[in-house]
Amino acid sequence: MSPSASAPVAPDPPVRLLLLGGTTEARALATRLAGRGEYDVILSLAGRTEHPAPQPVPVRIGGFGGVDGLAHHLRAEGIAAVVDATHPYAARMSFNAAAACAATGVPLLALRRAPWTPIAGDRWREVADVPEAVAALGAAPRRVFLALGRNEVRAFEAAPQHAFLVRSVDPVEPPLAVPRADYVLGRGPFGEREDHDLLKSHGIDAIVAKNSGGSATYGKMAAARALGIEVVLIARPSVPQVEAAASPAEAEAWLDRRFRAPSHGAAGAERGA
Ligand code: NAP
């Protein structure tokens, strides 16, 4: 059956896409593409959590083996494009993707989440990295909420004078070697009300966090503002300069522009966002 005069022509066979994930945006883009026969999407996760959340497309888990390993994967799997929707702090993966795509000629789009910016009432203190965050807490004992990955909290054993509250997806094993630490398990999104109650009930007076951007983990930032709590914010790492989209809808439109040929002169047909 021939397509209608204005319909774009779906590629046949489907376009194989590698979606580098681990974020809400990666899942949202996967959801948008999952029902569309013209794309064959594989979502890649680093494997940082023990029980990753279900995804709407097939998933592969674990590193590729650096730039060479990823370049080999792109060729071997016949990948037509890569969308880098990794976490803003997963910079090594982003640089590897840029290098592997440059080496193989596979088009790359980064799906980047804007950082949070302070507003009136915020008490933010930006630091370069985790060791600087440890130092920024100071010598006097404080009650600190660590909103970091479980692999990053271990550095705070260097400051055992503080009491820590750690929230992570998987348990921190072994527990931190400090006299006072509480643990809560949770997978975002976290709302402001919930985080307000958490901070208040634990008497928190400092938060250490990443500037992740987005809404899923902003609740603690809004709650900190309301409670007048200082936030020690670890600066974002630099990422490669590549073509970027700011939302899953924009990324989908980029893919459609690239892979869906307009038919019968219908210029640049795109699905509505
Ligand atoms: P990273 O430092 O950029 O990546 C380290 C290595 O992990 C990469 O070189 C790659 O291994 C592998 N990797 C990372 N993302 C991958 C993906 N989507 N698919 C397959 N392999 C992947 O990232 P990270 O060590 O995961 O985390 C760095 C920071 O980001 C931490 O602060 C962490 O808390 C934060 N973060 C990461 C994620 C996540 O899903 N990764 C989610 C939330 C927060 P090879 O070189 O072997 O290919």
Side-chain angles (χ1 to χ4, degrees):
M1 195 168 76
S2 63
S4 73
S6 59
V9 176
D12 184 23
V15 174
R16 297 207 85 193
L17 301 177
L18 178 64
L19 175 53
L20 301 171
T23 56
T24 312
E25 290 78 7
R27 180 213 293 275
L29 179 58
T31 302
R32 297 179 80 96
L33 300 177
R36 299 185 54 185
E38 62 266 57
Y39 295 117
D40 173 11
V41 184
I42 303 127
L43 178 64
S44 178
L45 299 174
R48 301 285 175 250
T49 55
E50 284 165 20
H51 304 287
Q55 298 285 346
V57 296
V59 171
R60 65 162 300 287
I61 296 181
F64 298 94
V67 176
D68 291 347
L70 178 56
H72 173 79
H73 181 92
L74 298 180
R75 289 194 191 98
E77 296 294 322
I79 300 296
V82 175
V83 178
D84 171 14
T86 52
H87 191 268
Y89 287 72
R92 178 148 29 123
M93 188 69 249
S94 292
F95 277 105
N96 286 359
C101 286
T104 54
V106 172
L108 169 67
L109 180 74
L111 175 45
R112 299 239 166 93
R113 201 192 282 167
W116 299 316
T117 51
I119 61 172
D122 279 325
R123 293 179 55 210
W124 293 6
R125 178 164 173 190
E126 194 162 270
V127 296
D129 51 25
V130 172
E132 221 179 89
V134 175
L137 293 174
R142 303 177 77 175
R143 299 189 64 84
V144 185
F145 176 43
L146 298 180
L148 300 174
R150 64 177 166 155
N151 299 323
E152 292 149 326
V153 297
R154 198 129 325 263
F156 291 84
E157 290 177 341
Q161 71 275 26
H162 306 303
F164 295 105
L165 172 65
V166 183
R167 179 165 66 193
S168 55
V169 176
D170 297 308
V172 176
E173 296 286 2
L176 296 183
V178 295
R180 290 173 300 157
D182 288 325
Y183 302 88
V184 284
L185 293 181
R187 192 195 292 272
F190 305 105
E192 180 180 350
R193 188 74 256 161
E194 177 189 356
D195 279 355
H196 189 281
D197 292 349
L198 184 74
L199 298 175
K200 226 175 159 186
S201 63
H202 286 266
I204 297 299
D205 58 46
I207 297 175
V208 182
K210 288 181 234 167
N211 191 340
S212 294
S215 59
T217 59
Y218 189 72
K220 62 178 178 285
M221 309 300 284
R225 180 165 59 242
L227 292 165
I229 294 173
E230 183 184 35
V231 181
V232 176
L233 208 51
I234 298 168
R236 282 190 173 197
S238 57
V239 286
Q241 299 297 311
V242 299
E243 202 175 340
S247 68
E250 258 186 45
E252 184 183 27
W254 181 88
L255 290 166
D256 284 352
R257 278 197 301 278
R258 195 167 269 273
F259 294 110
R260 296 186 90 201
S263 74
H264 307 291
E270 286 175 9
R271 269 175 27 130

